[in-house]
Amino acid sequence: MGKLVINSYDEFAAHLGQDLGASDWLLVDQERINLFADATLDHQWIHVDVERAQKESQYKSTIAHGYLTLSLLPYMWDQIIEVHNIKMLVNYGMDKMKFGLPVITGSRVRLVTKLHNIENLRGICKAEIDFKIEIEGQRKPALQGIASFLYYFE
């Protein structure tokens, strides 16, 4: 399935309550985790010390940072939707965000979305997206919540 193409607020609003799509699966490997650790200065051993994690972690592996999982949302969202006729897109907020399962190194994740709510705020489109970041082969998501974006249509 290709990207959902949106050209206006009204086109976006027509999808209220509907599934918007899912991204491709993305591998979360140790290199990605190490780069995130370096970028955020979070080098906790459960993320970066492979040997110690194999011995001491209940998962017998390193795991991705929860915030790494969250930070993949914009990349995966861009695979689902293409919004035209906008000047700017701004991340506005997160609601009811909850981590479900850790992402074990070597797992693949994807984003699944639904349009929760949409409002026209004096010409600015506020879109609230129900999202789940799923882990391949797992019933429970790694992360779920409502992401809010502001689309400034031209």
Side-chain angles (χ1 to χ4, degrees):
M1 183 173 138
K3 282 187 184 184
L4 173 63
V5 176
I6 300 292
N7 294 296
S8 68
Y9 173 86
D10 290 335
E11 281 185 23
F12 213 158
H15 293 278
L16 182 60
Q18 297 177 9
D19 291 336
L20 300 176
S23 70
D24 294 334
W25 291 102
L26 177 70
L27 177 66
V28 180
D29 60 10
Q30 191 63 53
E31 181 181 9
R32 186 179 313 278
I33 293 168
N34 291 345
L35 288 168
F36 188 84
D38 289 345
T40 60
L41 307 177
D42 180 356
H43 292 92
Q44 187 180 168
W45 69 268
I46 63 172
H47 305 303
V48 297
D49 190 333
V50 174
E51 289 179 16
R52 184 174 176 189
Q54 288 172 340
K55 293 175 188 164
E56 297 180 34
S57 168
Q58 67 191 45
Y59 308 109
K60 303 299 180 205
S61 173
T62 52
I63 60 173
H65 305 71
Y67 289 120
L68 166 55
T69 304
L70 173 63
S71 73
L72 296 171
L73 192 148
Y75 169 76
M76 293 187 288
W77 176 237
D78 190 51
Q79 293 179 10
I80 295 169
I81 192 166
E82 185 175 316
V83 182
H84 296 177
N85 304 314
I86 59 170
K87 295 180 273 188
M88 184 170 54
L89 165 64
V90 175
N91 293 319
Y92 186 68
M94 292 283 170
D95 292 310
K96 300 181 181 176
M97 193 178 79
K98 180 178 154 187
F99 294 100
L101 288 178
V103 177
I104 296 171
T105 304
S107 297
R108 295 191 328 156
V109 298
R110 73 172 180 179
L111 176 65
V112 177
T113 60
K114 180 178 184 175
L115 183 55
H116 177 78
N117 192 39
I118 189 164
E119 297 177 75
N120 185 337
L121 306 174
R122 297 178 305 282
I124 300 166
C125 171
K126 180 183 176 189
E128 296 177 350
I129 310 300
D130 276 328
F131 73 90
K132 288 183 184 175
I133 297 182
E134 298 179 337
I135 306 167
E136 191 174 36
Q138 297 292 329
R139 201 171 53 77
K140 195 173 179 183
L143 178 62
Q144 63 186 7
I146 301 170
S148 297
F149 301 107
L150 299 179
Y151 288 89
Y152 291 76
F153 280 97
E154 294 176 337

